């Protein structure tokens, strides 16, 4: 067994909702084995308040959350990522920076709750639904025996998680 903490970067175009929620979830659900990060190709600069509502239930510190560019994580002094996971279809189709260390990458598409133009109750319900979907996939991922799997097997499992119905 390894004591390594795995760094996971979640990418979305705006980095305001899905990737932010995933960052908090993997950090809390990983119990020290995983540290989550998030970024966007075109960050909006603001974290969606409905995402913050969902995250507050995890005891993850929301005061440090911010919408940021993925360029921060391609810099030479950035933390080296072990895994990169896109959570929106737009980001999955974009040309990403070259990531130091060549982390394993996968796509886990989720509906964009920030795009809903409904009432606050409807938005809150969709954010909760997507939060639960992200939680389900992360639950599977953090339970993988990463120390015992070789790189190709881990990559296969990551992709399989992204294809699963949640």
């Amino acid at each position: 067994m390894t004591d390594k903490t795995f760094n996971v970067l979640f990418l979305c175009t705006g980095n305001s909702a899905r990737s932010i929620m995933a960052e908090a979830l993997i950090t809390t659900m990983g119990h020290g084995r995983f540290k989550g990060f998030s970024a966007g190709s075109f960050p909006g600069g603001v974290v969606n308040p409905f995402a913050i509502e969902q995250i507050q239930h995890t005891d993850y510190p929301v005061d440090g959350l911010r919408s940021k560019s993925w360029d921060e994580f391609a810099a030479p002094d950035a933390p080296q990522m072990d895994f990169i996971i896109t959570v929106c279809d737009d980001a999955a189709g974009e040309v990403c920076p070259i990531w130091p260390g060549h982390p394993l990458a996968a796509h886990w598409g989720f509906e964009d709750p920030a795009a809903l133009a409904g009432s606050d109750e409807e938005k809150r319900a969709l954010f909760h639904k997507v939060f639960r979907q992200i939680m389900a996939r992360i639950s599977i991922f953090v339970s993988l025996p990463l120390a015992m799997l070789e790189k190709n097997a881990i990559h296969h499992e990551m992709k399989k998680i992204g294809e699963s119905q949640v």
Side-chain angles (χ1 to χ4, degrees):
M1 198 68 163
T2 181
D3 290 333
K4 176 178 174 45
T5 298
F6 296 97
N7 290 331
V8 184
L9 177 59
F10 292 94
L11 300 175
C12 196
T13 305
N15 188 223
S16 71
R18 293 167 286 185
S19 53
I20 297 277
M21 292 189 296
E23 169 188 342
L25 281 169
I26 198 148
T27 301
T28 56
M29 294 173 70
H31 302 291
R33 287 183 53 224
F34 296 88
K35 177 154 178 54
F37 299 87
S38 66
S41 53
F42 297 97
V46 176
V47 177
N48 189 295
F50 292 105
I52 291 173
E53 275 184 21
Q54 294 300 313
I55 293 167
Q56 285 175 325
H57 300 291
T58 69
D59 292 329
Y60 187 80
V62 296
D63 55 332
L65 293 174
R66 64 185 178 86
S67 177
K68 59 207 153 299
S69 172
W70 63 14
D71 292 336
E72 287 186 27
F73 296 95
D77 60 340
Q80 186 167 320
M81 295 300 136
D82 298 292
F83 305 101
I84 306 264
I85 300 171
T86 53
V87 292
C88 76
D89 294 339
D90 290 341
E94 293 176 330
V95 176
C96 294
I98 303 297
W99 306 110
H102 306 289
L104 293 177
H107 174 62
W108 299 355
F110 298 99
E111 181 179 3
D112 184 3
L116 181 66
S119 69
D120 282 357
E121 293 77 25
E122 292 169 319
K123 290 177 185 178
R124 193 169 279 112
L126 184 55
F127 267 86
H128 183 69
K129 174 185 168 189
V130 172
F131 185 80
R132 301 286 299 173
Q133 291 171 340
I134 295 169
M135 183 185 294
R137 286 188 177 161
I138 288 176
S139 178
I140 296 166
F141 183 66
V142 300
S143 69
L144 290 174
L146 298 178
M148 297 171 52
L149 295 176
E150 56 95 15
K151 201 170 185 173
N152 286 337
I154 294 169
H155 194 222
H156 173 76
E157 291 300 318
M158 287 176 66
K159 286 183 170 187
K160 199 163 98 177
I161 291 168
E163 295 165 356
S164 67
Q165 291 296 102
V166 289

